[in-house]
Amino acid sequence: MKVKVISRSTDEFTRERSQDLQKVFRNYDPNLRPQERATEYTRALNAAKLEKIFARPFIGAMDGHIDAVSCMAKNPNHLKGIFSGSMDGDIRLWDIATRKTVCQFPGHQGAVRGLAASTDGKVLISCGTDSSVRLWNVPFSKIIDSDESVGNASEPLAVYVWKHAFWAVDHQWDGSLFATAGAQVDIWDHNRSQPVNSFTWGNDTVISLQFNPGEPDILATSGSDRSITLYDLRMSTPARKLIMRTKTNSISWNPMEPMNFTAANEDCNCYSYDARKLDEAKCVHRDHVSAVMDIDYSPTGREFVTGSYDRTVRIFQYNGGHSREIYHTKRMQRVFCVKFSCDGTYLISGSDDTNLRLWKAKASEQLGVLLPRERKKQEYQDAVKERYKHLPEVKRIVKHRHLPKPIYKAANLRRTMIEAENRKEAKRRAHSAPGSIKIQPFRKRRIIKEEE
């Protein structure tokens, strides 16, 4: 005869304190719960609806500039500090926590086009259309104690005047060099008033550049001749050049996969490339309905944010063809610069209407400290949504986004144009000799040629 005995030790189910929760023993045998899937599906549906109800991504605007915000830079040593530069030459250091200006850096006579902070966060580098590069001392005490009154930084540490206007600047992730973009790419040292090296390839203006986060001596630039160029500071000439059909406005490297970068293009799309294989894009990210002006990767490398001329901010997965989130407000105008915060929790966008705006990276995320039970519940809801995301009702709720009417109409028009182009291509292929027209994937179609 077989006898089953329930054996429980008192320590396992006795509460230590009266405030503790009673421990519940559960049998996870699926045969005991025939309705488990139906229950989970209902929970997934409710979780998707609740996420929409609590989606409040906009936190607040940072007002202070009197002209369009043209560029921004993060401070790698301070989580809550961010720099912004405007078209009237004003540079400000903001405290994200209080959304107030901590310090101003006066001096530029024209538009500020590029900002970058040194690796240790102690020096800010700015450049602009007045053909000057200025190095500023970052006031640490004001970032830490932002209750002090707003003040101006003292005179710049150094002012280097050069022959042409500058369009962008970036500092090495690990090193003492920084690069400026303009009529050519110049490499500077903090202590020298002349560039230590200069690169040119063609006669067109270079409009953006960014150093590689994994290899300090490699940088990528984009030019007004629709090119993307890779440079290696250890070589005397540029390494490789890719020419596309439309201009690239900005470039961002993936910090977790430093061989990959994403280019924000004028044709409303973003293109992810592997720097070792530039003959085709790894992924095409499409959803914007106007030129993409700026792009920035999250510190996790799993997603990036883009700002566009169509007055919206979108968040894409690093390998996703369509955006997972779109942010817009009635007052926000054309977005010229976007940044992820250093912890990946917030986004900052700078636009034509002189404001910086602070957004949550996850629209329905609760701000503040979560209790362990709240966090577990949130994780459970995310898990059931992920499990049932392919079912039509859940999919419809999760994917739905309310769009402003102009963007909705522009997206429909753009879709119609693309479908017409595809139909025309299919008809041309059908009425041509077999094999005479090669089918080219969209990942290769926007590339004209690669030069070395």
Side-chain angles (χ1 to χ4, degrees), residues 160-174:
Y160 305 143
V161 180
W162 200 227
K163 295 177 263 188
H164 50 76
F166 295 106
W167 283 86
V169 64
D170 195 33
H171 198 282
Q172 279 184 319
W173 284 61
D174 184 18

Side-chain angles (χ1 to χ4, degrees), residues 381-397:
Q381 287 185 335
D382 291 342
V384 290
K385 267 190 303 186
E386 181 67 25
R387 176 177 284 185
Y388 295 99
K389 66 180 180 184
H390 60 281
L391 294 175
E393 195 65 18
V394 178
K395 188 178 181 181
R396 185 183 65 80
I397 295 168

Side-chain angles (χ1 to χ4, degrees), residues 353-374:
D353 58 319
T354 75
N355 282 323
L356 277 79
R357 286 181 172 80
L358 189 62
W359 311 83
K360 289 190 272 190
K362 289 179 183 165
S364 57
E365 190 176 41
Q366 186 181 332
L367 293 177
V369 180
L370 287 180
L371 295 171
R373 288 179 71 191
E374 289 178 317

Side-chain angles (χ1 to χ4, degrees), residues 2 9 17 32 35 63 84 109 133 141 152 164 167 179 182 191 193 209 240 242 265-266 270 284 340-341 359 363:
K2 202 172 184 181
S9 115
R17 293 190 303 268
L32 297 176
Q35 294 297 315
D63 193 10
S84 67
Q109 302 302 313
V133 176
S141 58
N152 288 351
H164 50 76
W167 283 86
N191 305 315
S193 60
L209 83 164
R240 295 165 86 188
L242 177 75
N265 207 277
E266 198 86 352
C270 296
V284 181
F340 254 105
S341 64
W359 311 83

Side-chain angles (χ1 to χ4, degrees), residues 207-208 222 247-251 263-266 291-294:
I207 53 175
S208 77
S222 68
K247 188 174 75 171
T248 296
N249 289 318
S250 183
I251 287 176
N265 207 277
E266 198 86 352
V292 188
M293 302 304 291
D294 197 18

